[in-house]
Amino acid sequence: MSAVRKTITSVLTAAVLTGGLALGTAGPASAAGCGTSASPVIDGAAASWSIRCSNGRMTIAGWVQDTRADAKCALVRIHAGDNPPTRPEACGSGVRKNFSYTFKAKNVDARLAIA
C-alpha cells in the first residue's frame, strides 16, 4: 500500500471513529410539547419519558438506565423554559432511576447522555 493511500485510510478511519464516539455520547434533543413521548437509546444508556400538560404546567416523567459497566452514568438533560436545568442520572450497569418533573413552560427539551 502506498504512503498516500495509508495516510488517506488512516484519516478516514480516525474521522469515522471520532464521529461514532461523538454520536455515542448524547441522544437527539427533543423540544417537545404536550402529549409527546420518547425512548432514546445510546451506547451505554437508555431512557423513556412522556410529557403531559395540565393547568398551564408541563410534566416530564419516565426513567433513565445505565446499560454499560464503564464507570460512567446515564443521564437525561432536561431544560424547560426559564426553569433551572435538571438531570436525573443512573450510575452503575443495570441501575434504573425513575423521574418526574413539573415546570411552567411551553415546551421541554430533553436529551439522553452519558457522563
Side-chain angles (χ1 to χ4, degrees), residues 4 7 36 82:
V4 171
T7 302
T36 61
D82 294 332

Side-chain angles (χ1 to χ4, degrees), residues 31-60:
C34 303
T36 61
S37 62
S39 296
V41 175
I42 60 174
D43 191 24
S48 180
W49 60 77
S50 61
I51 299 170
R52 65 184 193 282
C53 299
S54 178
N55 299 323
R57 300 182 73 73
M58 300 183 81
T59 299
I60 180 170

Side-chain angles (χ1 to χ4, degrees), residues 5-25:
R5 189 170 180 177
K6 284 182 185 180
T7 302
I8 291 172
T9 302
S10 296
V11 169
L12 290 175
T13 301
V16 169
L17 289 174
T18 302
L21 291 173
L23 292 175
T25 58

Side-chain angles (χ1 to χ4, degrees), residues 44-98:
S48 180
W49 60 77
S50 61
I51 299 170
R52 65 184 193 282
C53 299
S54 178
N55 299 323
R57 300 182 73 73
M58 300 183 81
T59 299
I60 180 170
W63 54 265
V64 58
Q65 182 172 352
D66 187 339
T67 61
R68 186 174 59 195
D70 59 2
K72 294 182 180 180
C73 296
L75 58 102
V76 178
R77 293 184 179 122
I78 302 170
H79 300 274
D82 294 332
N83 299 285
T86 58
R87 54 180 260 178
E89 61 182 47
C91 301
S93 183
V95 173
R96 179 183 284 197
K97 180 176 181 180
N98 293 321

